Amino acid sequence: MKPELIAVSKGLAEYRLSENAPLRLSKAPGHRIECLSGTAWITVQGQSADFILRAGQSFDIPGDGLTLIDAVGAGRVRIRLPAPTAIGWAARLAARLQHSLHGQAAAAAPATAAEASSHASTV
């Protein structure tokens, strides 16, 4: 039986899994896998070991390669999108400020070479 999507809400997806029918995730770095019931067996491309989760445990996907989530028997997992990081927020804010300051500097600059030359001679 294929993985069954049983609930979706903002930033979350919940799946029912059965043995030998893995859920495939790719390009999902930072997504958190939460085991809700049963046992989840996780294989991540590029990792030398597999990971086992029991109900109540979670795992953050470390890279953007293929990740397989299989059940030992049957189980349920929740996939949570990564939370925005403070660093990401700070970088976006800095970029906006830089853009804003650049726009103000451009507005304050003389529009033509003649104006620049005239401005330079009066200073």
Side-chain angles (χ1 to χ4, degrees):
M1 181 170 140
K2 291 169 127 178
E4 178 186 356
L5 180 62
I6 55 177
V8 176
S9 63
K10 188 175 181 181
L12 301 172
E14 192 172 313
Y15 292 88
R16 182 173 294 122
L17 302 176
S18 59
E19 198 163 340
N20 296 320
L23 174 63
R24 301 170 57 91
L25 300 174
S26 61
K27 297 185 178 160
H31 284 62
R32 174 167 286 186
I33 302 165
E34 301 169 346
C35 184
L36 302 176
S37 68
T39 301
W41 181 339
I42 302 168
T43 303
V44 179
Q45 182 179 13
Q47 298 291 313
S48 59
D50 288 350
F51 305 90
I52 302 293
L53 298 181
R54 299 198 189 325
Q57 295 179 319
S58 63
F59 173 79
D60 292 332
I61 299 174
D64 63 356
L66 179 63
T67 299
L68 301 176
I69 308 165
D70 206 348
V72 177
R76 284 185 14 244
V77 295
R78 178 183 298 137
I79 310 300
R80 183 180 300 270
L81 294 176
T85 64
I87 293 171
W89 177 81
R92 287 191 302 276
L93 179 60
R96 285 183 186 155
L97 287 172
Q98 183 178 8
H99 178 73
S100 176
L101 292 174
H102 177 65
Q104 290 175 0
T112 66
E115 288 177 27
S117 154
S118 139
H119 179 71
S121 63
T122 61
V123 174

